[in-house]
Amino acid sequence: MPSQTLTHVEAVKLLDAVDAQPTLVNINTAARRIAPIASSLAAVHKRLACVSSFTIDFLKTPLELQALRAGLHLQIHVAPYGQIDQELINPQSGVASFNPDVVLIAVRLRDVCPALYDSFNSLAPEEAKATLDDWLARFKSALMSFRQHSQAHLLILNYETPVAPALGIADRAAANSQSQLIRTANESLDAIAAAIANAHVLDYDALIAAQGRATWEDRRMALYGRIPVAAEHYWPFAGFIVRYLRPMYGLTKKVLVLDADNTLWGGVIGDVGVDGIALGPDYPGSAFVAFQKRVLDLYHRGIVLCIASKNQPGIVEEALKTHPNMVLREKHFAAMRVNWNPKPQNLQEMAADLNLGIDSFVFLDDSDVECALMREALPQVLTVCLPKEPARYAAVVEALDCFDQFSVSAEDRARGELYRAESGRRQLQSAVVDMPTFYRQLAMKVTFGVNQSSQISRAAQMTNRTNQFNMHTIRCSEDDIRRFMTSGDHEVITLALEDRFGDSGVVGLAIVRKSPHEWVLHQLLMSCRILGRTVEQAFVNWIAGRAKSAGATRLVGQFVPTTKNKPFAGFYKSCGFAANSPDSAPDEWILSLPNVDTTIPDWIAIQHPATEVS
């Protein structure tokens, strides 16, 4: 009997079911059923190669499914195990020929320096150190050679601590111990990666510790099949790798929407009143306090918090204001919907208010029914159903690996405040009669920065997080931004905005390639939070004025449509650009500079002169 093709919703449910019970049977069955539509499930498609010192084929299927859960379709090439130098150094190797976007390098120190694990006590300290140094020098050389012929991101697993240290309980205090040597090896690995562009070290040792060091390896399979990972850990191992891929390709979630009753607190507030809810120092109230503290940590990492609660309007707000043990207060939530409407409708409304894509939302609720409805209505939302035991709630938040970024900026830490300030702006806009009056009452101040090294992290982060007002959604790492800043023929320009409601921080980025007669926009993007205030047009006017002063006669921009950047369509035309050719692909737009008006609107003040740092 032929199998029926899954719908998108059915595929999401199937992946959620695998995540709940990731047995090999469930993983392989899901992979077989999803395969016909796998490509259509993800907006981002990448090629990943695996180089390893052990058999790693077992990871391919779990990795493909975990990537799909994150919105990423992976085409995976697995190199023969043990061929580390050959695959990295040879520009004609299988890995090089595959032309990967990412290379996972899974090398166990036990495989390449077996004496450090199997006969450590037989080695003199200087012998152990020399063995390690020889390997690290050889590995660094291979990575540097690879970088000569490929710009693929490198994900390098660090080295695991032995289950049973060579000196037993004396290992911790001993000089030149085995554990100390492994720590030194991992520090050296960090230093090697820091010296190579777009190389990242994955804390594999921490993953093993979290999953259980004693059970991580199936010793029979490690000897028989050279597979040093027990089958029950395939799924978390794959998820661990995808955790690093999400921020690399703009797949990090931004918003956490919480239910209230039996989620933020115990009990139904409409029945028991504010004073009757479970929230305090004793169980079960202490479980909800612990949960709220973990959520507050996310808020301080820049995750936008919202509430969607089926309750009488006003009662949730009252609890947030007045309950003495409440950790999360009104000020922590950028939007709230407390009503009797379907929660998918409330999420869509909040997404529109916040000007964020619905696929950047995570929904957390204790109700199986509400979670099922959300998955059915909005499969692009990551829906997480809380367990029945509230003591496990905090662990659910800790396990959310969808909010990770490679760095956390000052703008991230203030993001909750920034979104709350938006409500003040919307109220002001509704009270004034025309847009110029609204703009002037905002009292906007803009600061431009050119090649400011202090903004490298924020600039890279914006390319990875901004999807809607983005000319092509090409992602950049910090190494990429640093390279543009020091190239001599590029400028990395940032725009920071402040108004009467607060400081929005750096919200705009442009990377310009300069030549004597022409400047080309290599990157142009802006946070959707501030769109519609003419700041985006002022940004282009300022760049055009700068190009004109440098003697250029035209400014060139491109637009590559994606599933998410529709807000950018039409922007060039609004700034006076003309289409270069109706047949050009991607769309190319030209701004003729000799007669262009680059005046900044009077309602935007340039706060400081641009600062350049070479």
Side-chain angles (χ1 to χ4, degrees):
M1 180 178 178
S3 59
Q4 186 178 1
T5 301
L6 296 175
T7 65
H8 190 158
V9 171
E10 290 169 338
V12 170
K13 289 180 178 177
L14 187 55
L15 288 170
D16 285 343
V18 173
D19 190 52
Q21 289 188 308
T23 64
L24 288 183
V25 171
N26 288 345
I27 290 171
N28 291 326
T29 300
R32 193 166 54 250
R33 295 191 63 195
I34 287 174
I37 63 165
S39 179
S40 66
L41 291 176
V44 180
H45 293 230
K46 296 294 174 185
R47 299 160 70 86
L48 182 144
C50 299
V51 176
S52 65
S53 64
F54 53 88
T55 302
I56 201 169
D57 302 68
F58 68 88
L59 194 61
K60 184 172 182 290
T61 300
L63 192 51
E64 290 170 341
L65 294 188
Q66 284 278 28
L68 281 178
R69 292 187 73 231
L72 176 64
H73 180 266
L74 284 181
Q75 185 178 346
I76 298 176
H77 169 80
V78 178
Y81 80 85
Q83 303 294 303
I84 303 156
D85 297 302
Q86 299 90 324
E87 293 290 343
L88 292 177
I89 295 172
N90 184 359
Q92 307 301 321
S93 70
V95 168
S97 301
F98 181 64
N99 191 24
D101 300 292
V102 183
V103 179
L104 172 67
I105 302 176
V107 177
R108 293 202 318 161
L109 196 57
R110 179 190 294 273
D111 294 333
V112 292
C113 301
L116 299 184
Y117 285 79
D118 300 334
S119 53
F120 182 79
N121 291 340
S122 302
L123 299 174
E126 56 272 20
E127 290 180 296
K129 184 176 184 305
T131 300
L132 176 61
D133 288 347
D134 284 349
W135 158 248
L136 290 173
R138 187 178 124 200
F139 186 50
K140 181 179 180 180
S141 176
L143 294 175
M144 299 293 280
S145 297
F146 179 78
R147 187 48 87 229
Q148 297 301 312
H149 59 79
S150 174
Q151 293 305 310
H153 289 268
L154 298 173
L155 299 182
I156 305 166
L157 301 189
N158 72 0
Y159 304 130
E160 63 193 274
T161 304
V163 176
L167 295 176
I169 62 172
D171 188 88
R172 183 174 181 78
N176 302 313
S177 71
Q178 187 185 35
S179 298
Q180 178 58 50
L181 190 71
I182 304 302
R183 286 194 292 273
T184 300
N186 283 333
E187 290 169 1
S188 299
L189 209 54
D190 289 337
I192 290 172
I196 299 173
N198 296 327
H200 308 275
V201 174
L202 281 57
D203 197 350
Y204 181 65
D205 187 52
L207 171 70
I208 295 174
Q211 295 295 321
R213 203 176 292 283
T215 63
W216 180 257
E217 182 178 285
D218 179 332
R219 295 201 178 211
R220 180 178 178 278
M221 288 306 297
L223 294 172
Y224 178 73
R226 290 187 174 275
I227 301 174
V229 181
E232 62 263 34
H233 298 304
Y234 292 177
W235 187 250
F237 188 12
F240 166 75
I241 293 164
V242 170
R243 188 169 189 165
Y244 288 81
L245 296 174
R246 277 182 183 272
M248 203 175 283
Y249 295 114
L251 298 170
T252 299
K253 302 290 186 182
K254 300 175 181 176
V255 185
L256 177 60
V257 182
L258 300 158
D259 176 36
D261 290 338
N262 292 314
T263 297
L264 286 176
W265 51 72
V268 177
I269 197 169
D271 295 335
V272 302
V274 173
D275 295 335
I277 60 176
L279 190 69
D282 302 315
Y283 183 85
S286 56
F288 294 98
V289 170
F291 170 72
Q292 288 199 26
K293 286 180 177 177
R294 300 309 297 152
V295 174
L296 184 60
D297 274 349
L298 290 180
Y299 171 85
H300 288 303
R301 279 171 51 185
I303 310 307
V304 178
L305 303 183
C306 300
I307 287 179
S309 170
K310 285 185 174 177
N311 256 310
Q312 194 66 29
I315 195 167
V316 171
E317 295 88 332
E318 181 187 353
L320 294 174
K321 283 180 182 175
T322 64
H323 197 286
N325 297 314
M326 194 70 67
V327 176
L328 297 167
R329 298 293 183 180
E330 268 193 298
K331 67 178 182 180
H332 297 123
F333 294 97
M336 284 193 279
R337 291 292 187 278
V338 182
N339 53 40
W340 300 105
N341 295 334
K343 291 187 179 181
Q345 176 186 330
N346 283 329
L347 257 69
Q348 288 177 308
E349 290 177 2
M350 288 190 284
D353 284 354
L354 298 171
N355 209 6
L356 291 171
I358 195 70
D359 59 352
S360 65
F361 278 57
V362 177
F363 175 64
L364 214 60
D365 200 306
D366 69 298
S367 167
D368 294 335
V369 174
E370 294 291 353
C371 288
L373 177 61
M374 189 63 69
R375 290 190 182 104
E376 190 72 32
L378 299 174
Q380 59 273 58
V381 172
L382 175 59
T383 297
V384 179
C385 201
L386 290 164
K388 302 305 176 189
E389 171 54 64
R392 294 172 55 200
Y393 281 17
V396 171
V397 178
E398 292 164 1
L400 288 174
D401 58 2
C402 53
F403 295 122
D404 282 311
Q405 305 174 69
F406 286 115
S407 62
V408 178
S409 65
E411 282 79 6
D412 293 325
R413 296 185 186 281
R415 182 165 290 114
E417 287 292 329
L418 300 178
Y419 275 98
R420 277 184 57 79
E422 285 303 309
S423 64
R425 296 185 184 99
R426 285 193 293 271
Q427 290 174 15
L428 174 64
Q429 185 173 1
S430 64
V432 297
V433 295
D434 61 77
M435 294 309 289
T437 300
F438 167 62
Y439 298 144
R440 291 187 180 95
Q441 291 189 5
L442 283 176
M444 291 183 284
K445 300 173 183 176
V446 161
T447 303
F448 297 105
V450 179
N451 291 341
Q452 290 188 310
S453 56
S454 61
Q455 301 299 339
I456 288 174
S457 176
R458 174 58 179 161
Q461 186 188 76
M462 287 194 72
T463 71
N464 290 311
R465 289 178 61 92
T466 307
N467 295 311
Q468 297 185 81
F469 196 81
N470 190 332
M471 61 186 279
H472 48 38
T473 66
I474 291 176
R475 314 301 180 183
C476 290
S477 67
E478 292 186 20
D479 288 321
D480 295 330
I481 298 295
R482 193 173 291 107
R483 191 168 60 248
F484 284 128
M485 284 187 175
T486 57
S487 68
D489 58 357
H490 287 77
E491 285 189 350
V492 177
I493 306 170
T494 55
L495 179 151
L497 176 66
E498 181 182 352
D499 65 18
R500 58 179 284 190
F501 292 99
D503 188 348
S504 297
V506 174
V507 291
L509 170 70
I511 300 176
V512 182
R513 186 174 68 246
K514 303 181 298 181
S515 63
H517 304 295
E518 178 182 275
W519 283 28
V520 177
L521 292 164
H522 177 74
Q523 281 272 11
L524 181 62
L525 56 89
M526 189 163 286
S527 168
C528 282
R529 279 186 286 114
I530 52 91
L531 292 182
R533 299 182 219 164
T534 71
V535 176
E536 57 271 37
Q537 285 84 6
F539 194 19
V540 167
N541 279 0
W542 190 85
I543 295 170
R546 189 174 174 83
K548 189 175 178 181
S549 298
T553 57
R554 64 181 201 168
L555 180 63
V556 180
Q558 291 183 342
F559 174 58
V560 180
T562 72
T563 57
K564 295 183 176 181
N565 68 352
K566 290 179 183 175
F568 198 97
F571 172 66
Y572 289 129
K573 190 173 183 180
S574 75
C575 295
F577 286 67
N580 187 25
S581 166
D583 299 326
S584 66
D587 287 347
E588 188 170 79
W589 294 78
I590 309 294
L591 182 65
S592 179
L593 295 176
N595 299 314
V596 72
D597 181 5
T598 59
T599 304
I600 304 293
D602 65 88
W603 48 76
I604 297 177
I606 307 301
Q607 192 170 22
H608 303 295
T611 302
E612 295 189 39
V613 178
S614 60

